[in-house]
Amino acid sequence: MSAADLAPLVTLALRCADAAGAVARKHYRTPVAVDVKADTSPVTIADREVESAIRAILTAERPQDGILGEEHGSRDLNAEYVWVIDPIDGTKSFITGRPLFTTLIALLHRGVPVLGIIDQPVIGDRWLGVAGQATTLNGNPIRTRLCPDPAMATQAATMPFPHPEFRQTEAASRYMVWGGDAYAFGLLAAGFIDLMVEAGLQPYDWAALVAVIEGAGGVITDWEGQPLRLGTNGNVVAAGDPSLHAKILQTIRPRL
Amino acid sequence: MSAADLAPLVTLALRCADAAGAVARKHYRTPVAVDVKADTSPVTIADREVESAIRAILTAERPQDGILGEEHGSRDLNAEYVWVIDPIDGTKSFITGRPLFTTLIALLHRGVPVLGIIDQPVIGDRWLGVAGQATTLNGNPIRTRLCPDPAMATQAATMPFPHPEFRQTEAASRYMVWGGDAYAFGLLAAGFIDLMVEAGLQPYDWAALVAVIEGAGGVITDWEGQPLRLGTNGNVVAAGDPSLHAKILQTIRPRL
């Protein structure tokens, strides 16, 4: 896809992020009822209203496209373009008043992520990744940092995953920063974190991360080194330095 | 101590927090050299410069008081008043560009915490706790929330502590939020988190939390239910609901 093809889609995605942020800010640090989903994860009216706001815009402007959202289901996943939405990534951060939750908006073209937004609407941190272009944070181009040595890496993780592959990378890293979600992947793209190893992510968790990280010089794949596509098991490894990514894969693949 | 006695000390502490924030913001999300201390924790020029800025004010205005700081040591710990300073609590958040680090400023009067500030200078979140007064967040009075049942509690933790007491509370809580530090204790005071169980905290980690949490209706003690004072082992349990605190103590004390 050319930059000219993508430009109107980027504009539309940014409009969706603006609408999402207005809804999320309205509910932030207010007492919200927390429901529990079938997978035991929490969900609030903010998750549902933010996704509805985004879907309303997309349905009006791009009725021919597919949509995969965390809260309101899927439609037309075989369309040429599919939007992937996580209205509130980091719902536990949201309900505890931590301004690290984000809205994630991604676009797949024939299954390949070509656009990703990570938006934190309280602080006003917005990452924009577009295939073939330099990723920006709040409009400024960003780059990942060099860190070829796992023993020098700062690793972030949303939680202590029980998988032996994760435990191994945790033990080998210099520093662990806990409580990650997509915001930490954004910080990896910006050169402040070197490594993330996460397990069981859903498409709406990872779809927006791909263009953001790749456009900043980083690498994000599954644990076998394969590109992230619908159907993946959601075990994800991301590194700012491609040589670090390759070393981590060598370490954890013998276990698979 | 009367409110009138404390008022000028509160003014002075807020002035220290303002000075600290200006220094911290200058270094935030810039490439800073990270040194490793004897306890393997990271330290940067920001930690050192922030503490120096605070000590310069206190030394000029209150030369008779003691000071205990994380980076530049202690003096006159037997003085009637002792200031306790953590220039950058959450240094790993600071060096990874997460706006959850805080500056902690506390005052002990004859060993008893009577004043605490938790200040996040990038977002602009400031908690102020003063003995006998309602705790405020950004000037607005806050209260902890009711949550008598451990199974309904949202627990935050800076990291997965290996202690069996911690593991037990983690397993019993409804939700875990990872990556805490003092910012999470502030959110507990504000009624968004119910429980924190942490191990091995230093005086500069916990001193500012006491007045903030107690002034919001919460309880913070060591794992044996004793008040936090210099000389504690730094194993801390804090709860927004006093009845939750009592239940957690009953659960973990048999192990001690």
Side-chain angles (χ1 to χ4, degrees):
Chain A
M1 294 193 68
S2 71
D5 290 335
L6 280 166
L9 298 166
V10 171
T11 301
L12 180 64
L14 293 172
R15 193 178 134 205
C16 290
D18 289 342
V23 176
R25 282 192 297 272
K26 186 178 69 176
H27 293 293
Y28 179 65
R29 288 192 181 174
T30 66
V32 289
V34 178
D35 297 330
V36 181
K37 295 197 285 190
D39 65 357
T40 76
S41 67
V43 61
T44 74
I45 190 173
D47 299 75
R48 295 177 177 130
E49 285 189 2
V50 168
E51 185 167 322
S52 294
I54 296 170
R55 293 175 87 111
I57 294 171
L58 294 177
T59 300
E61 301 289 337
R62 302 278 304 180
Q64 72 276 33
D65 294 350
I67 298 181
L68 189 166
E70 176 169 10
E71 310 303 342
H72 296 305
S74 302
R75 72 151 210 247
D76 301 323
L77 295 188
N78 293 319
E80 179 178 0
Y81 291 94
V82 174
W83 297 87
V84 183
I85 305 162
D86 190 346
I88 304 280
D89 176 84
T91 296
K92 290 177 191 169
S93 279
F94 182 83
I95 62 180
T96 56
R98 294 210 308 182
L100 298 188
F101 71 90
T102 55
T103 295
L104 304 180
I105 301 170
L107 180 61
L108 310 184
H109 180 237
R110 303 190 197 284
V112 177
V114 293
L115 186 165
I117 292 175
I118 304 173
D119 190 65
Q120 208 311 310
V122 176
I123 300 175
D125 274 339
R126 176 175 290 180
W127 285 264
L128 171 63
V130 182
Q133 302 179 28
T135 294
T136 58
L137 169 56
N138 300 329
N140 303 306
I142 54 174
R143 292 288 299 172
T144 60
R145 71 179 172 198
L146 294 179
C147 179
D149 182 359
M152 293 302 289
T154 297
Q155 180 175 350
T158 300
M159 66 186 81
F161 295 96
H163 309 66
E165 296 86 352
F166 172 79
R167 299 278 182 188
Q168 188 176 13
T169 61
E170 176 195 357
S173 286
R174 186 184 195 196
Y175 296 125
M176 286 300 302
V177 186
W178 296 100
D181 299 307
Y183 194 87
F185 284 92
L187 293 173
L188 183 150
F192 294 108
I193 288 171
D194 303 300
L195 177 65
M196 292 190 73
V197 178
E198 306 245 315
L201 299 191
Q202 297 296 319
Y204 43 78
D205 294 320
W206 57 254
L209 311 177
V210 176
V212 167
I213 289 174
E214 292 181 350
V219 180
I220 179 168
T221 67
D222 70 14
W223 289 1
E224 301 193 50
Q226 296 303 307
L228 295 173
R229 299 290 183 263
L230 297 183
T232 176
N233 64 7
N235 292 343
V236 168
V237 54
D241 187 325
S243 71
L244 176 62
H245 184 271
K247 284 174 192 156
I248 297 296
L249 280 188
Q250 285 175 358
T251 305
I252 66 178
R253 283 172 74 183
R255 293 184 170 275
L256 298 176
Chain B
M1 294 192 68
S2 71
D5 289 335
L6 279 167
L9 298 166
V10 171
T11 301
L12 180 63
L14 293 172
R15 193 179 134 204
C16 290
D18 289 342
V23 176
R25 282 191 297 272
K26 188 178 69 176
H27 294 292
Y28 179 65
R29 289 193 180 173
T30 66
V32 290
V34 178
D35 298 331
V36 180
K37 295 197 286 191
D39 66 356
T40 75
S41 67
V43 61
T44 73
I45 190 173
D47 299 76
R48 294 177 177 130
E49 285 189 2
V50 168
E51 185 167 324
S52 294
I54 296 170
R55 292 175 89 110
I57 294 170
L58 294 176
T59 300
E61 301 290 338
R62 302 278 305 181
Q64 71 277 33
D65 295 349
I67 298 181
L68 189 165
E70 177 170 9
E71 310 303 342
H72 297 305
S74 301
R75 73 153 209 248
D76 301 323
L77 293 187
N78 294 319
E80 181 179 359
Y81 291 94
V82 175
W83 298 86
V84 184
I85 306 163
D86 190 346
I88 303 279
D89 176 85
T91 297
K92 290 178 190 169
S93 279
F94 182 82
I95 62 179
T96 56
R98 293 210 309 182
L100 297 188
F101 72 91
T102 55
T103 294
L104 304 179
I105 300 170
L107 179 61
L108 310 184
H109 180 238
R110 304 190 198 283
V112 178
V114 293
L115 186 164
I117 292 174
I118 304 173
D119 190 66
Q120 209 309 311
V122 176
I123 299 175
D125 273 338
R126 176 175 290 179
W127 285 264
L128 171 63
V130 182
Q133 301 178 30
T135 294
T136 59
L137 169 56
N138 301 328
N140 303 306
I142 54 174
R143 293 288 297 172
T144 60
R145 71 179 171 198
L146 294 178
C147 179
D149 182 359
M152 293 301 290
T154 296
Q155 181 175 350
T158 300
M159 66 186 79
F161 294 97
H163 310 66
E165 295 86 351
F166 173 78
R167 299 279 182 189
Q168 188 176 13
T169 61
E170 176 195 358
S173 286
R174 186 184 194 195
Y175 297 124
M176 287 298 303
V177 185
W178 296 101
D181 300 306
Y183 194 87
F185 284 92
L187 292 174
L188 184 149
F192 294 109
I193 288 170
D194 304 299
L195 178 65
M196 292 191 71
V197 177
E198 306 246 315
L201 299 191
Q202 297 295 320
Y204 42 79
D205 294 320
W206 57 256
L209 311 177
V210 177
V212 167
I213 288 174
E214 292 180 349
V219 180
I220 179 169
T221 67
D222 70 13
W223 288 1
E224 302 193 48
Q226 297 303 308
L228 296 173
R229 299 290 183 266
L230 297 183
T232 177
N233 64 6
N235 292 342
V236 168
V237 55
D241 187 325
S243 71
L244 175 62
H245 183 271
K247 283 174 193 157
I248 297 297
L249 281 187
Q250 284 176 358
T251 306
I252 66 178
R253 284 173 73 182
R255 293 184 170 276
L256 299 176

